[in-house]
Amino acid sequence: MFSNKKKVLFFLTNIFISFILLFIAYKNIEIDKTIYLLEELNNIYFVIGIFFVLFQILIFAYRWKIILKTIRGLDYFYLLKESYIISFLNQILPSYLGGDLYKVYISNKIKKSLSLSFSLILFEKYLVLINLIILIFFSTFLLSKINMTEWFIVFYKFLLIVTTFLILGILILFKFHNFNVKNKIIKKIQDFIFKFILLFRDISLCFKVSFITILGHINLFLAFYFIGMSLNIYLYIFEYSFIFFIIFFATQVPISIGGWGIRETVSISIFGLFQVSNEKAFAVSTLFGVTLLIVHLPSIFVIIFHNQKIKFLKKKQDELSA
């Protein structure tokens, strides 16, 4: 766990990085043209995009339920409420300070094991990342023609390195947890790795979580697609998928607040491969980010209501025990 000072430092660093990247994106657009694009918004396409964003919460909660499969009678609506809160925290905080930590906290309440809760979240994030990379390669394969710029070639080399690291990492962990050691600290690390690796030995679980994850990635892509269409950015759907999955991959790097800054700068670069103006790229990226934030904003009331309910129940319990 991070100390409080380190948390604050990382948080401020993320804000600074988001601000710098947004400023760089802003300097590469004409803001008047971007505002005009937003004023000409196609409401029908935009509403469809909002629907897919909302549906993402259902998928997110269901994937969590599948991962917590050992708990019988687990209330899906409870996970749905908590997933809504987690999604909101991911929009306003770096994931390691917001959504992920809160998810570990809730998982620990359910599983009664902090190390297992961490293992579950790492397992989920691993499959989220590996399936996202698969979708990037697949969407690239479906493209018939693309201008291979220098940064794009570098990105694909990096993607191959990440993929190799993820695969080798799991294989190494499979071997490491079998070593017989006497050191207590290493033994604890091995116990944690064992819980993590045990999840991958459940092939059925891996396939189920991967399927739901791919479904979630495609669903979020459709939200992005229709938001792009609402701004009259007309590209082939496979071009949109290629663009979105690369942007989504970039936002997985925990160096910003809710992906802000990274999403905008990458959008301008990647849309440029398809001769889409910087203003349009910035507009769709910003509108997508704002939509995510607004859709999840009501979770504040869920948090307030939940806290009020706890206080009320505690007060009643104190009155009965008095």
Side-chain angles (χ1 to χ4, degrees), residues 241-294:
S241 67
F242 170 80
I243 290 166
F244 172 74
F245 291 133
I246 290 179
I247 293 170
F248 191 31
F249 177 82
T251 59
Q252 299 302 300
V253 181
I255 60 171
S256 65
I257 302 296
W260 286 99
I262 292 179
R263 185 172 51 238
E264 286 65 41
T265 50
V266 174
S267 290
I268 289 173
S269 297
I270 199 75
F271 268 108
L273 296 175
F274 301 93
Q275 287 74 52
V276 175
S277 70
N278 290 355
E279 288 75 22
K280 285 186 176 181
F282 184 81
V284 66
S285 175
T286 304
L287 186 58
F288 181 70
V290 170
T291 302
L292 289 174
L293 182 60
I294 291 174

Side-chain angles (χ1 to χ4, degrees), residues 92-109:
I92 62 170
L93 293 168
S95 60
Y96 58 84
L97 291 179
D100 287 349
L101 276 183
Y102 186 72
K103 197 167 191 177
V104 169
Y105 166 72
I106 297 299
S107 297
N108 185 44
K109 283 177 65 176

Side-chain angles (χ1 to χ4, degrees), residues 309-321:
K309 185 179 178 181
I310 290 174
K311 288 180 182 178
F312 175 78
L313 292 174
K314 188 177 180 181
K315 184 179 178 182
K316 282 290 184 183
Q317 187 177 11
D318 292 341
E319 288 176 355
L320 289 172
S321 61

Side-chain angles (χ1 to χ4, degrees), residues 95-211:
S95 60
Y96 58 84
L97 291 179
D100 287 349
L101 276 183
Y102 186 72
K103 197 167 191 177
V104 169
Y105 166 72
I106 297 299
S107 297
N108 185 44
K109 283 177 65 176
I110 296 169
K111 302 292 282 186
K112 309 299 182 185
S113 170
L114 187 59
S115 60
L116 180 57
S117 299
F118 269 112
S119 298
L120 292 171
I121 304 308
L122 285 175
F123 171 73
E124 182 181 29
K125 289 189 79 68
Y126 181 93
L127 290 181
V128 164
L129 190 58
I130 202 74
N131 283 293
L132 180 56
I133 291 172
I134 290 170
L135 286 171
I136 290 173
F137 285 131
F138 183 68
S139 60
T140 306
F141 174 76
L142 292 174
L143 287 176
S144 58
K145 188 177 180 182
I146 186 170
N147 180 23
M148 298 288 281
T149 60
E150 185 179 346
W151 77 262
F152 182 73
I153 295 170
V154 171
F155 169 76
Y156 256 76
K157 287 179 180 178
F158 171 72
L159 208 59
L160 288 170
I161 292 170
V162 170
T163 306
T164 304
F165 175 79
L166 288 171
I167 294 170
L168 287 178
I170 289 296
L171 295 175
I172 291 169
L173 289 178
F174 265 106
K175 292 291 183 181
F176 177 74
H177 91 274
N178 288 322
F179 290 148
N180 187 19
V181 293
K182 295 181 179 180
N183 186 284
K184 290 183 179 180
I185 296 174
I186 296 177
K187 196 70 178 175
K188 286 184 178 180
I189 294 172
Q190 278 189 315
D191 291 340
F192 173 78
I193 291 172
F194 175 74
K195 291 176 181 178
F196 179 61
I197 292 300
L198 198 62
L199 296 166
F200 286 93
R201 287 181 171 172
D202 190 336
I203 304 300
S204 175
L205 176 65
C206 289
F207 272 109
K208 285 179 182 178
V209 175
S210 292
F211 176 77

